[in-house]
Amino acid sequence: MSTPRCERCGNVVSPTSEFCPACGHPLGPPGRQGTAHRTARLRIRAMDGRERDVPLNRDVLTVGRGKENDIVLPLPYVSTHHGRFQFQRGVWHYRDLDSTNGTFVNGRRSPGGPLRDGDVLRIGHPDGGSISLTFYAGQERQTRGQRPMGSMRMGTLTLPPGRVLTIGRSPQADFPLDSPVVSRYHARVERTPQGATLTDLNSTNGTFVNGQRVTGAHRLKDGDVVQIGPFTLIHSGEKFQKYAATAGVRLDAVGLVREVGPPNRPKRILNDISLSIAPREFVAVVGTSGAGKSTLVMALNGFTRADGHVLVNGDDLYRHFDLYRTMVGYVPQDDIVHQDLTVVDGLRYAARLRLPPDTTSREIERRVNEVLELVEMVGQKDQLVTSLSGGQRKRVSIAAELLAEPNLFFLDEPTSGLDPGLEKKMMFTMRRLADGGRTVILVTHATANIIQCDHVCFLAQGRLVYFGPPQKVFDFFGVTTGDFADVYELLDDPDPAVAKEKAGRWEQRFRQSPHCEAYVTGRLRRLREMREEATAAPTRTRPRVNALRQWLVLSRRYLDLVLSDKLLLAVLMGVMPIIGALVLLIAQPDWLVGSSAAEIERQLAEGLAGGQTATYRVVYNTQRLLHMLSLAAILLGLFGSVYEIVKEWSVYQRERMVSLRILPYLGSKLAVLGGFALIQCLLLLLVVSIRVALPGRGVLLPGPLEMYITLVLGTVAAVTLGLLISALVPNRDAVIYLVFLVLFFQMIFSGVMFDLPGFTDKLSVFTFTRWSIEALGSTVNVEALNELTRIRFLPDPVTETVSMDIERPDDDWEPVTVMTVTREIAVPVGPGVTQTMLISVPQVTVNDVVSVTETITDTVTVEPAATDVFTEEDFQVNYAPTPGHLLLSWGLLSVFGAVFGSAAALVLRSKDVG
C-alpha cells in the first residue's frame, strides 16, 4: 500500500486528514483519498449572465467547442478540444489541451493543475468575450462555526508544549504564512502550562487579536481570532485552525451617508447607500457626472469615511482599518508610478516601500515578475513608463497595487481616455483579477464592455438607483434600445432640481424592486448580525515602518528620477556654472577683496590723466555681485524643488494611503536637492574665482568656505520654500505665478536694489535674500571695502580780473639835466712850465623823481592742485564683520529652512484623505 502524499507539495499525509498540514491543500474526505465522489460540479457563466451547473459525474470529462466533448461550449474563442477535467487520488485536476486562447485559472494563464473549491477557470480572448467555469468541490462537510467569512480552511497547526514556535513568511518558520505583507518572522507563540502566549516580533503590518493590534506578549484564550495579513488563526487549546482569505473578500455597505459643505447648508453627496458585494465579484460603479461615484469608492475602501458601516467579511472596516489596510488596493485616475523610471524600476521601488523591510531583493524580483505576468506587461518591463501607451501605463499602476496581493481592489476610471480596443482589454484584465480571488470595484464612464462585470452600481445625485447584473439594467429602466446612453438620459437633467427629483423617484423604485431584494437587502439579511457599535472609530494607526529605511529608498528613487530626467538634471548641474560664467563677463578681480593702496593710487592717477575726476568705489560692485550670488542660490533652490510634489501628487497620495511617512518623503527631496546644492554652489564659486579674487580670510573660517556655507544654506532654504509651494498649489499651472511672487518679494525687499522706507524695512527681515547677502558681506568685509572708496578730482582753473594802483615817473620828468661849463685847466708845456687854458666841460644834474599814480586792470588764471575726497556709503543692510552677526545670519537661514520644511509637512498632513 502506497504512502498517501499531498498532490500539491508531496508531503506525507495521514489517510484520515482533510488537509495537508504543510500547505493546506484539500485532500478529500477522510479515508476516501483516491475514491471518486460525485458531488463536485462546475458553474458555467456566459457573458449574457446566464448560468448553468454541470455535475462532474465521471472521472474524466472534456470541454471544448466540438460536439463530441462532455461539456460543449459553442463559442468562437473556445478550441475544439480545449481542456480536460480528471479526478485523481481524491483531487480534481484540470489540463489545458494546448488550446489557442488558453485557460486562465484564477486570473492566470495556466496549463492546469489540481483544483480547489471556488477556483475560477476562464476561457476567452482579451479582444472578445469570455466564459467562466467555477469549480465547486462539494467535499467540505465541516460546519462553519468560527470559520471566517470568505476564507478557506488551510488545516490545523498544533502547539507543542514548552516550545517556542515562529510564525512568518520565511519557509523556515514553524508556521509559514506565504504572503508578501507578512514579515519574514512576524510573531512567535509559546504554549505554557498557563496557556498560549503570542508575541509580535515588531512586524511591519502588525499582529491582531480579535481585531486589536497587539504589541509585546499577549495571553491567548480559547476562541481568540489571530489575524496576520490575509491569514486567520483561531486559537483552540492546543491548536490553531488556519484559514486564508483565498476564497475572496465580501464587502458590504450599510446606510452610507456623506455630507459636505457648511453645517447650516450641507450638501448630501451620498444618500443612505447600501450594497453587498460577494467574493470574486467584479462591480462597475457608473452614473452621471457628479453622481458621487468616486466618493462612494473612497468610502468603501476606507480612505475617506462616510457615516454608516462598511463591512469586510462581516467585520467593521472603519473600526479595524489598520487590520485591513494591506488588503485594500486602490488605483486612482492618475498614474501611480513615476513616468521617468522603467517599468521594472518603478515596481521595485514600490515593492520596497510597500512590502516588509525584511523582504529580500530576490523576493522583490520574484514578486515584480509575478505581477508583470499577471497584467501581461513582461515584454515592456525595461521600457520607460512615459514611453508606454495609456492602457499600458494603467496596467503598470495596477501591477504596483498587486505587489501586496490586495483582496479588495478599487479602480477609479482606469479606462478613461482609452480607445475601444484598449478599454476592452482593460476590462478583460479586471475580470481576470476578480477571478483570481479579488473583489474588484471599478468606477467608469465607459459602458461598452460592462457586460464583463458581475454587477453594475448605478448612481444619480448621490443615490443608488440600481444594483444588479448588467444584463438586467435595461429591463429595470424600461430601455428597449439596449444603449446605456438612454439610461443616463433618464437620470440626468440640466435643471439640478429636476435631476434630483428624478434620482429620488428611481431610488424609491429600486428599493421596492426584486433586484434590491435579490442583490442588496436579501444578501444583507443573510449577513451575520452586526454588533451594536458606536460610529466613532478609534484613531487610525499606520503600519510600523523604519523611517530611516524609507528615507533611503525614497532618496534612491528620487535620485534615479533626477538622473533620468535630462531637463531637470541639466538645470541642477548647469545653471550655476552658467551664471558664474555670465558674471565673469562683467566682474573685475578686485570686486570682493579691494585693491592695494599702490594700485588704488595708480588707478586714480590714470583716471585723472584721462579727465578731471578719478574714482575708486569697489563697494558698489561688491554689493551687486553678492546680490547676484544670493539670487542665483535662491533660483537654484526654488526651480529645483517647486514642481517636485505637485508633479507626482497621485503617486504621493497613493503611497501615503499605504505606509508613506511625510518626514522621510520630504527628507528624501531635501537630501537629493541638497546634495546637488552642494555641488552647484561649489561650481559657482569655482567659476567665479577664475577671474574674481575671493577673500582669503573670513570672519571665522577661510573666506571661500564661509561663502560656500552661506550659499548652501540659502539654497537649502529656497528648496524648502519650493517644497512648501509645491505642497500648497492645486496643480502645476499655479506654480509659476507663486514663484514670480516669491522672487520679486525677495528682490524688492532685499535692501540692496531699493531704499526701504517706513514699514517696508520690516518686511526685509522676512527675505532670506537679505540674510544671505549680509552673511556674504560679513565674509568679504564690505565695511572695509567701503572705507577704500576715494574720489580724486582736479578743479577747473580760476580766472579773474585784477585792478591795482601803481606810481610811475611823469612822462615829462627827466632824470638828469646836462649843462656845459667852462673851466680853466693847467696844461704843462715844458719842463716845469705850465699854461692855463679854458676848456668846456658837461655838467650833469640829477633831478628828483616826478611820479604820477596810474590804475592797471588785468585777467589772471589760477591752476589748482589735485584733491582727494574719502566717502563711505550708508547701507540699509548690516555687513558687520563679526562672528556674532555671521552666525546670526546663518542661524536665520537655517530657521527659514526649518520653518518652510515644517510648513510643507503640515500642508501635506492637512491634505491626507479621510
Side-chain angles (χ1 to χ4, degrees):
M1 180 177 179
S2 61
T3 303
R5 294 181 178 272
C6 173
E7 184 70 24
R8 178 194 289 173
C9 68
N11 184 63
V12 176
V13 297
S14 169
T16 60
S17 297
E18 295 183 58
F19 301 92
C20 172
C23 69
H25 184 66
L27 303 174
R32 296 183 59 187
Q33 286 82 2
T35 304
H37 53 82
R38 311 299 183 201
T39 57
R41 59 191 171 92
L42 291 177
R43 175 164 294 172
I44 302 175
R45 184 176 186 271
M47 290 292 293
D48 59 4
R50 290 179 298 174
E51 294 183 349
R52 63 187 175 103
D53 284 359
V54 175
L56 299 178
N57 49 15
R58 293 199 301 274
D59 288 349
V60 178
L61 296 96
T62 58
V63 58
R65 190 178 68 248
K67 295 182 179 180
E68 64 275 14
N69 290 284
D70 300 296
I71 303 172
V72 180
L73 302 176
L75 298 168
Y77 43 81
V78 179
S79 296
T80 303
H81 299 283
H82 202 101
R84 179 179 65 245
F85 290 92
Q86 186 170 2
F87 190 74
Q88 295 177 329
R89 291 183 292 177
V91 177
W92 277 101
H93 292 71
Y94 173 79
R95 179 64 56 189
D96 185 89
L97 301 177
D98 296 325
S99 61
T100 302
N101 291 317
T103 305
F104 291 85
V105 179
N106 296 330
R108 297 174 183 266
R109 184 160 183 162
S110 171
L115 297 175
R116 295 187 298 182
D117 188 45
D119 280 352
V120 177
L121 291 78
R122 183 165 298 277
I123 300 172
H125 192 276
D127 295 329
S130 66
I131 190 168
S132 67
L133 299 85
T134 304
F135 171 76
Y136 294 101
Q139 63 184 26
E140 191 170 350
R141 299 281 190 257
Q142 66 181 34
T143 58
R144 295 190 60 87
Q146 290 182 302
R147 173 183 173 182
M149 185 180 301
S151 65
M152 176 176 289
R153 184 178 173 186
M154 301 295 291
T156 301
L157 306 175
T158 303
L159 302 178
R163 281 191 58 193
V164 177
L165 304 178
T166 57
I167 304 173
R169 190 183 70 253
S170 172
Q172 286 73 43
D174 297 296
F175 296 161
L177 302 179
D178 187 14
S179 170
V181 298
V182 176
S183 296
R184 179 169 294 276
Y185 290 100
H186 199 103
R188 68 170 181 261
V189 62
E190 180 180 9
R191 181 182 163 201
T192 66
Q194 291 76 29
T197 300
L198 179 71
T199 304
D200 182 81
L201 300 178
N202 293 320
S203 62
T204 299
N205 294 308
T207 302
F208 298 82
V209 177
N210 301 326
Q212 300 297 318
R213 187 167 185 165
V214 299
T215 57
H218 181 85
R219 182 67 56 81
L220 295 174
K221 303 185 297 294
D222 280 356
D224 278 351
V225 178
V226 179
Q227 290 167 285
I228 297 176
F231 298 95
T232 300
L233 308 175
I234 299 179
H235 178 248
S236 176
E238 305 173 354
K239 300 178 180 179
F240 273 133
Q241 296 294 332
K242 178 182 174 183
Y243 299 90
T246 54
V249 172
R250 172 169 175 164
L251 183 69
D252 297 277
V254 182
L256 295 184
V257 175
R258 183 166 174 82
E259 294 180 341
V260 296
N264 57 335
R265 287 188 306 167
K267 179 182 179 180
R268 180 165 289 194
I269 55 177
L270 291 182
N271 183 66
D272 193 19
I273 292 179
S274 295
L275 297 171
S276 184
I277 303 172
R280 297 187 189 231
E281 284 191 337
F282 178 22
V283 176
V285 181
V286 300
T288 56
S289 297
K293 302 183 292 295
S294 296
T295 304
L296 175 60
V297 165
M298 294 300 283
L300 289 174
N301 63 30
F303 293 123
T304 301
R305 296 182 178 183
D307 295 332
H309 294 278
V310 176
L311 307 175
V312 176
N313 287 340
D315 198 9
D316 193 314
L317 173 65
Y318 292 171
R319 178 168 290 276
H320 302 130
F321 184 79
D322 192 30
L323 168 61
Y324 293 107
R325 181 190 296 274
T326 58
M327 295 176 63
V328 177
Y330 171 59
V331 179
Q333 294 185 25
D334 297 323
D335 296 331
I336 57 173
V337 177
H338 290 90
Q339 295 196 9
D340 291 322
L341 295 176
T342 63
V343 172
V344 68
D345 284 340
L347 294 179
R348 283 170 183 157
Y349 281 118
R352 291 189 182 103
L353 289 172
R354 299 190 182 195
L355 301 183
D358 56 12
T359 306
T360 65
S361 297
R362 180 176 296 180
E363 289 176 311
I364 288 176
E365 290 300 314
R366 183 173 67 249
R367 188 67 194 137
V368 166
N369 289 329
E370 287 175 355
V371 297
L372 284 174
E373 182 180 350
L374 196 60
V375 298
E376 299 178 333
M377 288 290 292
V378 175
Q380 293 78 30
K381 64 184 298 184
D382 294 319
Q383 288 184 229
L384 287 175
V385 176
T386 187
S387 69
L388 302 176
S389 67
Q392 289 174 327
R393 290 200 305 271
K394 190 61 65 176
R395 286 171 182 259
V396 176
S397 295
I398 292 171
E401 287 301 302
L402 293 177
L403 288 167
E405 290 188 348
N407 299 99
L408 280 170
F409 206 52
F410 298 85
L411 303 101
D412 195 351
E413 297 283 2
T415 60
S416 177
L418 303 183
D419 61 58
L422 289 177
E423 182 214 337
K424 181 179 291 185
K425 290 182 178 180
M426 185 64 66
M427 293 294 285
F428 184 77
T429 299
M430 297 302 102
R431 177 69 265 174
R432 290 193 294 105
L433 292 177
D435 292 345
R438 300 168 186 86
T439 303
V440 179
I441 296 94
L442 165 80
V443 175
T444 184
H445 282 292
T447 54
N449 296 284
I450 208 168
I451 199 73
Q452 295 272 12
C453 300
D454 296 293
H455 296 294
V456 58
C457 172
F458 243 112
L459 297 181
Q461 300 294 315
R463 300 170 184 269
L464 179 64
V465 296
Y466 177 80
F467 183 81
Q471 297 82 6
K472 299 181 180 180
V473 169
F474 304 113
D475 290 340
F476 174 77
F477 286 102
V479 173
T480 58
T481 61
D483 190 347
F484 276 93
D486 294 330
V487 179
Y488 280 91
E489 187 175 351
L490 282 176
L491 299 172
D492 204 7
D493 195 275
D495 187 341
V498 175
K500 186 174 182 180
E501 190 270 335
K502 282 185 175 181
R505 289 203 315 267
W506 284 107
E507 178 187 45
Q508 289 302 317
R509 180 173 176 177
F510 172 68
R511 290 184 175 182
Q512 297 167 5
S513 70
H515 302 288
C516 184
E517 170 63 26
Y519 303 111
V520 180
T521 55
R523 287 185 173 188
L524 292 177
R525 193 179 301 116
R526 292 190 295 271
L527 182 68
R528 66 183 185 184
E529 184 177 355
M530 290 172 49
R531 298 189 301 270
E532 294 297 328
E533 297 176 335
T535 57
T539 304
R540 293 187 186 183
T541 58
R542 293 181 176 270
R544 185 183 289 112
V545 299
N546 185 318
L548 177 61
R549 176 184 178 274
Q550 193 172 84
W551 173 77
L552 289 172
V553 172
L554 291 168
S555 298
R556 182 177 175 184
R557 182 179 71 178
Y558 184 40
L559 181 60
D560 282 352
L561 285 168
V562 171
L563 295 178
S564 63
D565 187 340
K566 305 306 180 186
L567 177 60
L568 178 59
L569 184 61
V571 169
L572 290 176
M573 292 302 297
V575 168
M576 295 290 256
I578 293 174
I579 292 175
L582 294 176
V583 168
L584 292 185
L585 298 177
I586 58 172
Q588 296 299 318
D590 64 338
W591 278 12
L592 296 181
V593 296
S595 299
S596 64
E599 176 63 20
I600 294 174
E601 181 63 30
R602 187 189 66 79
Q603 292 184 27
L604 289 174
E606 288 182 356
L608 193 60
Q612 295 294 315
T613 304
T615 303
Y616 182 82
R617 186 180 290 166
V618 72
V619 71
Y620 282 152
N621 291 326
T622 301
Q623 187 171 234
R624 293 189 185 104
L625 179 55
L626 297 183
H627 194 203
M628 289 306 303
L629 294 178
S630 178
L631 283 178
I634 292 170
L635 286 170
L636 173 69
L638 271 180
F639 283 103
S641 63
V642 76
Y643 286 100
E644 290 310 298
I645 296 177
V646 67
K647 76 178 183 182
E648 60 179 27
W649 183 246
S650 59
V651 180
Y652 164 80
Q653 263 195 319
R654 183 62 194 109
E655 291 178 346
R656 176 68 177 154
M657 290 177 184
V658 183
S659 62
L660 183 66
R661 298 293 189 265
I662 292 175
L663 291 183
Y665 176 74
L666 291 177
S668 67
K669 302 291 185 186
L670 192 60
V672 175
L673 293 174
F676 278 100
L678 293 173
I679 299 172
Q680 286 286 75
C681 292
L682 179 61
L683 292 176
L684 175 64
L685 286 179
L686 289 176
V687 173
V688 169
S689 67
I690 294 174
R691 184 175 185 185
V692 179
L694 304 182
R697 182 65 187 172
V699 179
L700 295 171
L701 303 168
L705 179 58
E706 283 188 2
M707 294 181 68
Y708 178 66
I709 293 173
T710 300
L711 292 176
V712 170
L713 290 176
T715 305
V716 171
V719 166
T720 58
L721 177 59
L723 293 175
L724 173 59
I725 294 174
S726 194
L728 281 170
V729 293
N731 54 64
R732 300 178 68 168
D733 296 334
V735 168
I736 195 65
Y737 300 103
L738 280 179
V739 171
F740 277 140
L741 177 63
V742 168
L743 283 179
F744 275 96
F745 182 82
Q746 295 291 328
M747 289 188 292
I748 292 172
F749 297 104
S750 64
V752 173
M753 298 183 65
F754 305 103
D755 291 334
L756 301 177
F759 77 95
T760 58
D761 183 55
K762 307 299 181 184
L763 294 177
S764 180
V765 176
F766 299 102
T767 63
F768 46 83
T769 318
R770 168 180 176 170
W771 300 110
S772 297
I773 294 173
E774 288 201 5
L776 292 171
S778 296
T779 296
V780 303
N781 201 349
V782 170
E783 292 186 356
L785 296 176
N786 195 18
E787 294 173 357
L788 297 177
T789 302
R790 205 198 257 180
I791 302 175
R792 176 173 291 177
F793 64 93
L794 186 63
D796 292 334
V798 178
T799 303
E800 58 182 6
T801 302
V802 179
S803 298
M804 60 182 302
D805 294 334
I806 60 173
E807 289 186 357
R808 65 177 180 83
D810 194 314
D811 291 338
D812 297 332
W813 172 71
E814 295 182 355
V816 297
T817 301
V818 179
M819 298 178 62
T820 304
V821 180
T822 303
R823 292 183 180 180
E824 292 180 353
I825 62 173
V827 177
V829 292
V833 181
T834 61
Q835 184 180 350
T836 303
M837 295 179 68
L838 294 175
I839 299 173
S840 296
V841 179
Q843 183 177 347
V844 179
T845 304
V846 178
N847 299 321
D848 293 334
V849 176
V850 179
S851 63
V852 297
T853 301
E854 183 178 359
T855 302
I856 299 175
T857 301
D858 196 6
T859 300
V860 180
T861 298
V862 179
E863 297 285 347
T867 302
D868 284 352
V869 177
F870 297 89
T871 63
E872 293 184 15
E873 298 298 327
D874 185 16
F875 297 113
Q876 290 201 330
V877 293
N878 184 4
Y879 293 123
T882 63
H885 184 67
L886 178 64
L887 293 175
L888 173 65
S889 300
W890 284 354
L892 288 173
L893 289 174
S894 301
V895 168
F896 276 119
V899 169
F900 292 141
S902 300
L906 291 175
V907 170
L908 291 178
R909 180 67 182 85
S910 69
K911 289 187 175 183
D912 280 349
V913 293

